[in-house]
Amino acid sequence: MPQILIIDDNTAVATALDVLFSLHDIDTRHASSPGQGLAMLAEQEFDLVLQDMNFTADTTSGEEGQTLFRAIRDAHPDLPVILLTAWTHLDSAVELVKAGAADYLAKPWDDGRLLTTVNNLLELAEARRELARRRARELRQQQALHERYNLCGMVFADPASERVIALACQVARSELPVLITGPNGAGKEKIAEIIQANSAHRNGPFVALNCGAIPAELIEAELFGAEAGAYTGANKAREGKFEAADGGTLFLDEIGNLSLGGQMKLLRVLETGRFERLGSNRERQVTVRVVSATNADLPAMIRDGSFREDLYYRLNTVELALPPLAERREDILPLARHFLGQDGKPLSSQAAQALQHHSWPGNVRELRNVIQRASLLAQGPRIEVADLNLPRVHARPSIPADEPDRARIVNALERAHGVIAQAAADLGLSRQALYRRMDRHGIPRE
């Protein structure tokens, strides 16, 4: 049952409030002076404080109430405080709300408004506690990953990243082919490195090939090697990536760019472990774990005939979908600080906020480039918004807190894991206002 501390020297007021709240399953305790109230807060946890602004030692100015509020705020910064004030103390109450008080109500109060305010604050406080508990669990899970597995220095904090990394560590122990999907620059190669580092091939080579960076006529030679004279310019024999990766892992990025001929040969290697160099009829045998990646829609390519269906299912025994950085917003600041390094200039609060609100079409690669440029060009002691030089076309529009658009509401709900009270607080709205905007934009309340 929620518990409220009432700090008021008027016993009749405390009794009236106790009766009102008890009818709605809210327990109350009463302190008749600021000193007693602070002592009770030091001894016991409360969900909310309802304090008077005026006490017997100070009957007109409200200064004692202000002093009490500030003492509560200093000792219990997350505890919501509602102020009860006479009209003569209204200006002081407004100033305290600006300083962090949850709300104020004039005496005599309206029971309905008081109950609504208290219930909203209690629900929000419980949502914040649940969010804190969830984040603590996530931190424990992430710490367990760091302790149990080699994460190759990957920096992350977002639960979406943690899920992908945990699955990568789990499948690393098998020999199954893995397909990593996600946009360019999101960190797919780092996931492949984690798979290698936690597999039976950890002591073998890790060889990466970007299939999209090699001309189609040369990709087969890159993969399988070539004998001298196999093609124009092949003056001597060369080994391919499969030979170089023997006993280890071959990471094939942008696998959708592989030619149909290359796809057919790759399928044969995956099935038999055998291949021939270009210009040779001698079969070679290798033991290679293949991890592939793409930002393309391979099922659509299968439908239009540019990607083999049998190769897709051979590569896609396990799929790891790495979300874009815009969907892993808790990763942004840890990554930015990682790119700055221990000796780098700190980010100003405004710069940090700008980073979190940018849409990051280039993902982690874009973030790294932005931070490196800002670190080089910043003239002051901190990196400011202007130093980031974020393109306006990619920045999220500045939206007033009382009129968030659909995307902002959806993002807030996702960050709050669907907890309406927490999302409303993040957006600066009441629950009722958030519900109205959800209905307006067709966002399900569930």
Side-chain angles (χ1 to χ4, degrees), residues 329-343:
R329 294 206 165 267
E330 292 182 37
D331 286 348
I332 293 173
L333 290 184
L335 281 167
R337 294 182 178 116
H338 171 72
F339 295 141
L340 284 169
Q342 292 182 346
D343 300 326

Side-chain angles (χ1 to χ4, degrees), residues 110-373:
D110 177 87
D111 284 354
R113 181 188 170 190
L114 176 58
L115 284 169
T116 298
T117 300
V118 166
N119 284 325
N120 285 344
L121 289 171
L122 291 176
E123 182 177 350
L124 180 58
E126 177 55 32
R128 285 173 173 163
R129 284 194 293 270
E130 175 57 31
L131 185 60
R133 289 192 289 267
R134 184 179 294 115
R135 285 177 174 168
R137 289 196 299 270
E138 291 166 353
L139 286 174
R140 288 195 296 271
Q141 291 168 354
Q142 292 173 13
Q143 184 62 34
L145 277 177
H146 282 285
E147 293 173 353
R148 184 175 180 183
Y149 299 104
N150 179 359
L151 302 187
C152 301
M154 185 161 184
V155 176
F156 67 98
D158 198 288
S161 298
E162 185 268 331
R163 287 190 291 270
V164 175
I165 294 168
L167 185 55
C169 293
Q170 183 177 351
V171 302
R173 295 170 293 185
S174 73
E175 292 298 317
L176 298 175
V178 176
L179 176 64
I180 307 170
T181 58
N184 286 335
K188 298 190 291 294
E189 184 167 349
K190 181 62 72 173
I191 297 297
E193 291 176 7
I194 291 173
I195 293 173
Q196 153 82 0
N198 295 281
S199 72
H201 302 279
R202 64 178 64 89
N203 295 321
F206 177 86
V207 178
L209 175 65
N210 185 340
C211 299
I214 307 297
E217 62 272 15
L218 297 179
I219 188 69
E220 292 182 41
E222 286 290 329
L223 282 172
F224 310 116
E227 298 294 346
Y231 57 89
T232 302
N235 299 320
K236 59 181 180 179
R238 55 176 294 192
E239 71 173 14
K241 299 300 183 184
F242 268 99
E243 288 179 78
D246 193 14
T249 299
L250 176 60
F251 174 57
L252 299 178
D253 199 6
E254 303 302 339
I255 190 69
N257 290 78
L258 194 60
S259 68
L260 286 172
Q263 292 176 35
M264 182 176 64
K265 292 187 176 182
L266 175 60
L267 179 62
R268 181 169 181 266
V269 179
L270 293 175
E271 290 176 342
T272 66
R274 296 178 177 274
F275 65 95
E276 299 170 356
R277 285 181 177 178
L278 289 181
S280 171
N281 58 8
R282 182 171 73 87
E283 281 195 334
R284 299 171 186 272
Q285 179 81 43
V286 292
T287 301
V288 174
R289 169 77 175 274
V290 173
V291 177
S292 53
T294 185
N295 69 337
D297 185 348
L298 294 186
M301 294 179 66
I302 292 171
R303 290 192 294 271
D304 67 25
S306 59
F307 200 84
R308 294 179 61 100
E309 185 174 18
D310 48 3
L311 176 59
Y312 172 74
Y313 288 113
R314 190 68 177 82
L315 293 170
N316 195 24
T317 305
V318 177
E319 180 176 343
L320 300 178
L322 184 61
L325 185 58
E327 296 177 14
R328 298 149 43 198
R329 294 206 165 267
E330 292 182 37
D331 286 348
I332 293 173
L333 290 184
L335 281 167
R337 294 182 178 116
H338 171 72
F339 295 141
L340 284 169
Q342 292 182 346
D343 300 326
K345 293 180 179 180
L347 294 162
S348 71
S349 59
Q350 293 84 357
Q353 186 177 23
L355 291 175
Q356 289 179 304
H357 284 80
H358 186 57
S359 58
W360 299 112
N363 295 289
V364 178
R365 186 179 296 130
E366 181 190 5
L367 174 61
R368 182 188 61 209
N369 293 342
V370 166
I371 292 299
Q372 289 176 344
R373 182 181 63 239

